[in-house]
Amino acid sequence: MPMTTDSEGQENVLLRVAAIVDSGATGTYNLVLQEVDGLRRLVMAIGLAEAQSIAVFMEGVHLPRPLSHDLMARMVKTFGAEVCEVVIEDLCNGYFIANIICRQTTADGQHYYSFDARTSDAVAFALRSGAPVYARERVLTRLAGPPQRV
């Protein structure tokens, strides 16, 4: 299974968006992330706007005006930076914790920045930036549900 180890020695497992499904609650959807070459999944509740943003991108729909995540991706690129990866770090008080890792190359060398983000926003942003989405192995070990049909 595609896995990396970061500079702190923590294992990260590569994920893909498996599905976005209606949760049954008004305005809430479930984002299903599945490990690449594996069966474990993370399921998280996300809002309507984030679900639409992810779905629009995955379905290749071109809108007349940019969505927030499109704008963010363009801004990062315009400022000479790139999104390296998104890492789902943990679950705290019922919320997944994610970081967007960016790299900017300047005359001084390469600079890395980590931005705390809602996981749904981080995933939408990663998709538009072509960046991989990872989860810490310990998060998947603790939280991943059994394989199921979506």
Side-chain angles (χ1 to χ4, degrees), residues 70-114:
D70 299 313
L71 174 62
M72 289 171 38
R74 288 181 193 163
M75 290 174 66
V76 166
K77 187 175 181 179
T78 298
F79 292 128
E82 67 178 313
V83 178
C84 298
E85 64 188 17
V86 164
V87 180
I88 300 170
E89 303 279 351
D90 206 350
L91 179 74
C92 184
N93 297 321
Y95 295 97
F96 282 94
I97 307 299
N99 283 302
I100 301 170
I101 311 301
C102 294
R103 175 178 54 227
Q104 184 179 40
T105 303
T106 66
D108 299 352
Q110 292 188 346
H111 305 278
Y112 289 85
Y113 303 94
S114 178

Side-chain angles (χ1 to χ4, degrees), residues 11-107:
E11 293 180 337
N12 297 324
V13 179
L14 183 62
L15 303 175
R16 67 176 182 82
V17 176
I20 298 173
V21 295
D22 190 335
S23 71
T26 303
T28 305
Y29 293 80
N30 288 328
L31 172 61
V32 182
L33 300 174
Q34 181 173 335
E35 68 182 319
V36 172
D37 297 334
L39 299 175
R40 295 179 296 176
R41 294 177 178 212
L42 291 178
V43 178
M44 61 196 68
I46 65 174
L48 173 62
E50 294 79 15
Q52 287 176 331
S53 181
I54 293 168
V56 160
F57 181 84
M58 292 185 65
E59 294 172 10
V61 175
H62 297 284
L63 300 174
R65 303 292 301 144
L67 297 175
S68 298
H69 302 106
D70 299 313
L71 174 62
M72 289 171 38
R74 288 181 193 163
M75 290 174 66
V76 166
K77 187 175 181 179
T78 298
F79 292 128
E82 67 178 313
V83 178
C84 298
E85 64 188 17
V86 164
V87 180
I88 300 170
E89 303 279 351
D90 206 350
L91 179 74
C92 184
N93 297 321
Y95 295 97
F96 282 94
I97 307 299
N99 283 302
I100 301 170
I101 311 301
C102 294
R103 175 178 54 227
Q104 184 179 40
T105 303
T106 66

Side-chain angles (χ1 to χ4, degrees), residues 114-131:
S114 178
F115 299 96
D116 179 28
R118 295 186 307 177
T119 303
S120 56
D121 288 327
V123 169
F125 191 43
L127 288 171
R128 284 162 172 78
S129 302

